[in-house]
Amino acid sequence: MEEVDKKDINDLLKWKKIKPEVPELTGNISVPEIKLWASLDYKSQLLKQKDALKRLGLPSDGLVPDWKNKFLAKMGEMLKKYRSVRLFMDICVRCGACADKCHYFLGTKDPLNMPVARQELMRRVYRRYFTISGRLFGSRLGSADELDEEMLALWYTYFYQCSECRRCSVFCPYGIDTAEITMAAREILNSVGLVQKYTYEIVDKAQNIGNNLGMVPDAIVNSIEFVQDDLKEQTGIDIKIPIDEVGAEVLFVTPSADFFASPHIESLYGYAKVFHQAGISWTMSTYASEGGNFGLFSHNYNQMKIINKRIWDAAKELKVKRVVCGECGHMWRVLSSFSNTMWGPFDWLDQRYPAPQHICEFTLDLINSGAIKLDKTANDDLTVTFHDSCQVARGSELGGKIDGQFEIPRALIRECVNRFVDMHEDTIREKTYCCGAGQGLLGDDMLPLRVKGAMPRMQALKRVKDSHDVNFLALICAICKAQMSKIFPLYGYPMEEVGGILQLVSRSIVLRNKEGV
Amino acid sequence: MNISGHALNMAIYFSALLFFAGISFRIAGWLSVPNPLKIPTTPAPLTPAGTVARMLGELLFFRSLWKADKLLWAVGYIFHLSLLLVVLRHLRYFLYPVPESILRFSDIGIYAGFTLAASLLYLLARRLIIDRVAYISNVMDYFYLLLIILISMTGLLMKFFFRPNLIEIKDLMLHAAALDPIAMSAGMSIFFLVHLSMVMLLAALFPFGKLMHAGGVLISPTRAMVNNARRSRHINPWAEKEWDTMLSEADKETGAYMPWSPEQWRDRWKR
Ligand code: SF4
Ligand code: SF4
Ligand code: SF4
């Protein structure tokens, strides 16, 4: 590996303002020639706010003095707690099958963004300090490296250029999942005091205030009232968004961005209309006002568990029979795959339905049973394609089917629109490309990286735009929505062409005032 | 006892010991680390039987690699298949009488010797030529490749040009395999000695490097776990202890680590 100029750690980690360069859209995704250090300057800002760091139980004075020992101790802990991390350190053969599969490599050309090279950053330290040959011969035997400040800076840089999207894992012959390694690496960096601002500001807010945006309960209630007024104005019907209602049938959780961000709020209209029209009583919760769980982004089990607790508690407190989740990728992964392990099964809920249930499963069931009706012609101005949000696509099943997470959203879209077309098969379903901002990379400080990371998705989109005049990209992830609506204008597309599937439902659902309502 | 005559036997036993003990040790090491969460990657089967089928697909057909890179898949597949056939052919040096079934593979084993060498040369070439692969290749990657190339070359040379005394070799190996070693006679083929030493070196190193991917693929949690997290609870063995430790260390003043209960939280926000 080439040497970086010897510098102080603070220089190495300094955030620089970089003007985003927008890749040219050709409609093709080609594998670039590698360009050394091409994205070395894309750093996330560090969290410096002492009280937040203290609340998180993290070092609050920057890099801790005896960081090397702390680092190795934490790394040893990760290797003892996560079989994935331990095994993946040992079995990579450097075949390179994953090398051209990462959107950040394709976008930046930086070889350290090849999944295997990213993993090797950890393996170099692993070989030096955790294997027999490293202990005997130090870093002399090649491919092992001393843990020094430069290595630390490389870790902070490149483990915050991975969106933990797991695309590489699909292609690796041994299923090596770089996301697992990135999560461990971030936890190790946290333990020595290199804490990323974007993610951990939000973890702090989620733990203490209850949602990622830091909205206090009154603000939530206000914005919900605002949405209700909007709905009334749009439809002429009183569509309620109940909040903290004990005894409702369904507890609904969704990312807090859905309360007012655009285009997220359009999906909130959709959720409300679906519940209203199906006549199912539901409630949101001020205590569990966030579906997202940024605790997932590093291997810190308790952090994720604390945030997840709110949903579990709220379901009990509000005495609901079902839990339904809105549109969010990583939130769905945590709730469907991990919540059961963390807090046990939702076994007191109505067992006729999956618990928790995804809004796409929920809505499609209602359509199939005839409880709600859609009028596709309402969306006749749209030709729609679908971005499989990767945490859903590569997370777990939907609808109890092995490919339900691909088919159910598509089936739902087809119920909403007359014209649907898929992007190139190498860019969707299990092989979907991340939007380029997932798992902690959505901060404005990371915009230059985000623009490049979005390149593969934008190329695939460009192709169907050219061939089929696609003018709407449907997604089921709050982060994807925020990223795409920001990135679209930079690539020359209007931001209104991005939105949730429930936005399509919202536009096409046939509403009528129920008797007595 | 004829020490120099037995040096070879000792080396054989030593490398075999490292091979088998090493593999067990490594696998036991991996299995001693728990899987805290369910992390299978799509398309992940929903049942144990489906997961077994998926693993067989990986093991027998390298299905993920097929998705990644067709040429690498083809060469990798030829390499592993050739290796298997060559190893099967070699069983006739360790078994007496040689079972019918193994003899049947023997002729293919000769062709496999060529495809083995050819696929290895391609694997080496791509490490040198493709910029991405060159970037990630390290010393050991080249070392293992060259080692196996050397083994296969000496094997082919013996087969076609410098035939060693097979009767003698078989005698030696059969006795070694029966744990009844006999001394090696002087004047043993130098090609054979190089060939065998390289094999022993490979066997001795096998457990301690990347060649253990052969054992790891069956354990890999993203492949071997069943995708049923919503329906069946997966237990994280260290979760409870970690939670209790957190609570006991929680700083009540600052609220650090504190999971708010609904009551505490409502109290704070006056809801
Ligand atoms: S595909 Fe897997 S084994 Fe091959 S280089 Fe990538 S991580 Fe390593
Ligand atoms: S998880 Fe996604 S972002 Fe990270 S290395 Fe793999 S492909 Fe790249
Ligand atoms: S934001 Fe969306 S596309 Fe990006 S990592 Fe998350 S789910 Fe995947």
Side-chain angles (χ1 to χ4, degrees):
Chain A
M1 194 182 295
E2 253 76 351
E3 288 285 319
V4 201
D5 294 341
K6 276 243 178 283
K7 273 189 197 150
D8 171 41
I9 185 80
N10 292 312
D11 287 341
L12 289 171
L13 294 181
K14 197 171 209 140
W15 179 76
K16 298 186 194 96
K17 193 166 172 61
I18 298 168
K19 199 173 163 330
E21 290 165 39
V22 183
E24 191 198 342
L25 282 186
T26 59
N28 294 314
I29 301 165
S30 53
V31 180
E33 245 175 66
I34 63 174
K35 200 169 141 209
L36 295 179
W37 307 117
S39 64
L40 183 64
D41 285 341
Y42 300 164
K43 322 254 188 214
S44 318
Q45 288 171 338
L46 285 160
L47 182 60
K48 300 261 166 74
Q49 228 190 325
K50 287 195 198 309
D51 45 339
L53 287 162
K54 285 213 180 95
R55 280 193 298 269
L56 291 163
L58 293 172
S60 52
D61 266 323
L63 188 61
V64 295
D66 59 338
W67 66 270
K68 199 165 155 176
N69 290 329
K70 285 241 165 62
F71 185 109
L72 292 173
K74 196 58 161 185
M75 186 160 164
E77 188 190 321
M78 291 290 116
L79 290 164
K80 284 205 187 74
K81 277 186 177 164
Y82 292 86
R83 185 183 293 171
S84 53
V85 178
R86 171 75 186 276
L87 185 74
F88 296 163
M89 283 298 104
D90 288 328
I91 61 173
C92 169
V93 297
R94 282 158 300 283
C95 67
C98 61
D100 54 353
K101 303 298 187 284
C102 176
H103 51 291
Y104 290 119
F105 169 65
L106 296 173
T108 64
K109 311 186 172 111
D110 190 319
L112 281 169
N113 274 331
M114 300 189 293
V116 44
R118 200 185 311 284
Q119 300 159 18
E120 286 288 306
L121 287 176
M122 186 178 282
R123 271 190 211 105
R124 290 171 163 273
V125 178
Y126 174 75
R127 288 192 195 101
R128 167 65 184 82
Y129 297 95
F130 295 91
T131 63
I132 302 169
S133 67
R135 287 205 194 103
L136 289 179
F137 307 110
S139 56
R140 283 185 292 276
L141 261 194
S143 68
D145 264 335
E146 295 298 327
L147 178 58
D148 54 16
E149 301 203 336
E150 281 163 30
M151 181 54 88
L152 196 61
L154 289 178
W155 273 48
Y156 184 79
T157 308
Y158 290 97
F159 286 119
Y160 282 104
Q161 294 192 16
C162 167
S163 60
E164 304 174 349
C165 76
R166 313 177 82 213
R167 185 169 197 267
C168 43
S169 164
V170 168
F171 298 97
C172 172
Y174 321 117
I176 295 178
D177 183 358
T178 316
E180 289 289 310
I181 293 169
T182 297
M183 289 168 185
R186 291 182 181 181
E187 179 62 11
I188 296 166
L189 289 168
N190 283 350
S191 76
V192 299
L194 298 184
V195 183
Q196 193 224 32
K197 186 170 164 210
Y198 172 75
T199 302
Y200 292 93
E201 244 172 26
I202 287 182
V203 168
D204 178 42
K205 284 182 201 151
Q207 290 189 350
N208 290 294
I209 305 176
N211 56 67
N212 292 357
L213 296 176
M215 294 168 79
V216 299
D218 287 346
I220 297 172
V221 173
N222 280 345
S223 63
I224 294 239
E225 276 165 6
F226 195 75
V227 172
Q228 288 184 154
D229 292 347
D230 255 11
L231 277 166
K232 170 95 189 183
E233 209 169 291
Q234 265 180 40
T235 63
I237 304 173
D238 268 323
I239 297 174
K240 290 270 171 278
I241 302 185
I243 193 139
D244 292 336
E245 257 181 39
V246 181
E249 163 99 6
V250 172
L251 167 67
F252 183 72
V253 285
T254 200
S256 52
D258 288 359
F259 294 139
F260 58 78
S262 180
H264 307 64
I265 197 164
E266 307 282 340
S267 286
L268 181 56
Y269 298 149
Y271 313 140
K273 289 180 189 173
V274 168
F275 283 111
H276 170 87
Q277 193 57 30
I280 296 173
S281 72
W282 65 301
T283 184
M284 301 198 34
S285 156
T286 45
Y287 171 68
S289 53
E290 176 64 57
N293 190 334
F294 280 28
L296 167 74
F297 303 172
S298 74
H299 271 335
N300 185 322
Y301 189 80
N302 280 343
Q303 214 165 56
M304 177 162 73
K305 194 169 162 179
I306 291 174
I307 298 174
N308 185 243
K309 182 175 192 291
R310 285 175 181 268
I311 295 173
W312 212 86
D313 281 352
K316 281 234 142 124
E317 202 194 15
L318 297 170
K319 304 196 170 50
V320 296
K321 300 198 190 66
R322 303 167 70 177
V323 174
V324 176
C325 315
E327 297 178 338
C328 181
H330 76 277
M331 150 184 160
W332 178 245
R333 183 161 186 231
V334 174
L335 277 168
S336 66
S337 295
F338 303 157
S339 168
N340 197 350
T341 298
M342 291 188 288
W343 287 105
F346 281 115
D347 51 5
W348 75 92
L349 297 179
D350 188 339
Q351 295 301 305
R352 285 173 303 165
Y353 305 100
Q357 192 173 23
H358 193 274
I359 187 71
C360 288
E361 290 175 320
F362 176 79
T363 310
L364 192 63
D365 279 354
L366 292 174
I367 295 172
N368 290 338
S369 69
I372 58 175
K373 294 218 158 22
L374 303 184
D375 170 19
K376 292 186 193 188
T377 57
N379 281 323
D380 268 351
D381 52 335
L382 301 179
T383 304
V384 177
T385 192
F386 178 56
H387 165 74
D388 291 88
S389 299
C390 50
Q391 296 299 309
V392 181
R394 287 187 280 266
S396 56
E397 113 297 339
L398 274 190
K401 297 205 189 68
I402 187 170
D403 57 354
Q405 69 271 48
F406 313 132
E407 297 306 339
I408 289 177
R410 284 180 172 74
L412 184 54
I413 295 174
R414 287 204 173 89
E415 293 290 340
C416 303
V417 302
N418 278 313
R419 287 195 306 277
F420 172 78
V421 38
D422 257 325
M423 287 177 276
H424 190 278
E425 58 174 351
D426 288 343
T427 73
I428 55 169
R429 302 170 73 101
E430 64 179 313
K431 297 180 188 166
T432 186
Y433 280 104
C434 172
C435 64
Q439 287 34 259
L441 305 186
L442 184 65
D444 283 341
D445 49 340
M446 293 303 272
L447 192 60
L449 180 76
R450 287 164 53 191
V451 170
K452 293 197 166 167
M455 186 274 281
R457 171 49 73 227
M458 297 308 287
Q459 301 289 17
L461 179 71
K462 152 98 174 154
R463 200 189 262 206
V464 285
K465 270 179 157 305
D466 289 351
S467 61
H468 290 83
D469 290 324
V470 165
N471 60 1
F472 193 86
L473 179 70
L475 332 144
I476 39 174
C477 172
I479 295 173
C480 303
K481 287 177 200 166
Q483 156 79 342
M484 286 305 182
S485 52
K486 176 99 186 179
I487 295 296
F488 261 43
L490 297 173
Y491 277 91
Y493 298 137
M495 65 174 277
E496 292 72 32
E497 294 191 355
V498 179
I501 295 184
L502 267 284
Q503 177 174 344
L504 299 172
V505 173
S506 168
R507 290 173 54 136
S508 56
I509 190 165
V510 182
L511 292 171
R512 70 200 130 74
N513 251 328
K514 292 239 159 104
E515 267 165 61
V517 177
Chain B
M1 191 168 100
N2 169 359
I3 298 280
S4 69
H6 276 289
L8 187 70
N9 282 317
M10 285 192 269
I12 291 176
Y13 288 136
F14 182 64
S15 58
L17 180 74
L18 274 179
F19 182 75
F20 290 109
I23 289 180
S24 321
F25 175 75
R26 291 309 295 283
I27 292 186
W30 291 332
L31 293 178
S32 74
V33 181
N35 277 315
L37 293 162
K38 281 222 163 135
I39 56 166
T41 7
T42 306
L46 312 174
T47 59
T51 307
V52 170
R54 171 188 208 175
M55 297 313 293
L56 287 176
E58 291 296 343
L59 204 60
L60 301 179
F61 303 109
F62 304 180
R63 280 192 53 198
S64 297
L65 189 56
W66 169 257
K67 287 178 205 164
D69 183 337
K70 301 281 189 282
L71 180 60
L72 180 57
W73 177 86
V75 178
Y77 203 81
I78 292 171
F79 164 72
H80 284 89
L81 193 64
S82 308
L83 190 63
L84 179 71
L85 291 170
V86 167
V87 168
L88 281 179
R89 181 178 161 85
H90 278 69
L91 281 182
R92 55 201 202 128
Y93 304 118
F94 301 92
L95 300 173
Y96 187 83
V98 189
E100 209 21 62
S101 49
I102 295 209
L103 280 177
R104 246 185 283 133
F105 278 104
S106 279
D107 283 347
I108 317 177
I110 301 175
Y111 301 109
F114 287 102
T115 48
L116 182 69
S119 56
L120 281 163
L121 289 175
Y122 172 76
L123 293 177
L124 180 63
R126 75 186 279 282
R127 281 205 187 276
L128 297 166
I129 294 166
I130 303 176
D131 64 348
R132 299 184 298 284
V133 192
Y135 181 89
I136 54 175
S137 298
N138 67 36
V139 184
M140 291 313 276
D141 298 331
Y142 289 110
F143 174 80
Y144 285 123
L145 270 177
L146 291 172
L147 190 61
I148 308 176
I149 289 176
L150 199 62
I151 293 171
S152 79
M153 291 298 176
T154 47
L156 286 171
L157 283 176
M158 277 189 283
K159 174 74 200 165
F160 293 102
F161 298 106
F162 307 97
R163 295 193 72 94
N165 184 342
L166 278 180
I167 311 238
E168 208 179 348
I169 289 176
K170 187 157 178 176
D171 206 30
L172 191 71
M173 300 315 283
L174 275 175
H175 275 90
L179 299 184
D180 172 25
I182 53 166
M184 180 183 78
S185 57
M188 181 60 89
S189 152
I190 183 78
F191 286 96
F192 170 70
L193 289 178
V194 171
H195 187 73
L196 183 62
S197 323
M198 295 294 136
V199 172
M200 291 189 300
L201 182 60
L202 186 68
L205 289 178
F206 187 96
F208 306 102
K210 69 172 195 173
L211 300 185
M212 273 308 283
H213 66 274
V217 58
L218 290 176
I219 301 172
S220 182
T222 56
R223 295 288 184 266
M225 294 184 101
V226 184
N227 182 10
N228 57 1
R230 269 196 287 182
R231 279 174 291 127
S232 117
R233 186 178 189 199
H234 174 82
I235 300 292
N236 174 357
W238 45 261
E240 212 165 313
K241 186 157 162 253
E242 184 147 312
W243 186 257
D244 293 345
T245 317
M246 178 191 75
L247 290 185
S248 68
E249 288 170 1
D251 180 344
K252 304 272 173 351
E253 291 286 295
T254 60
Y257 295 103
M258 279 307 291
W260 298 91
S261 74
E263 299 76 32
Q264 287 168 322
W265 182 84
R266 290 197 192 295
D267 209 32
R268 177 170 171 200
W269 294 107
K270 317 251 173 305
R271 268 297 293 181

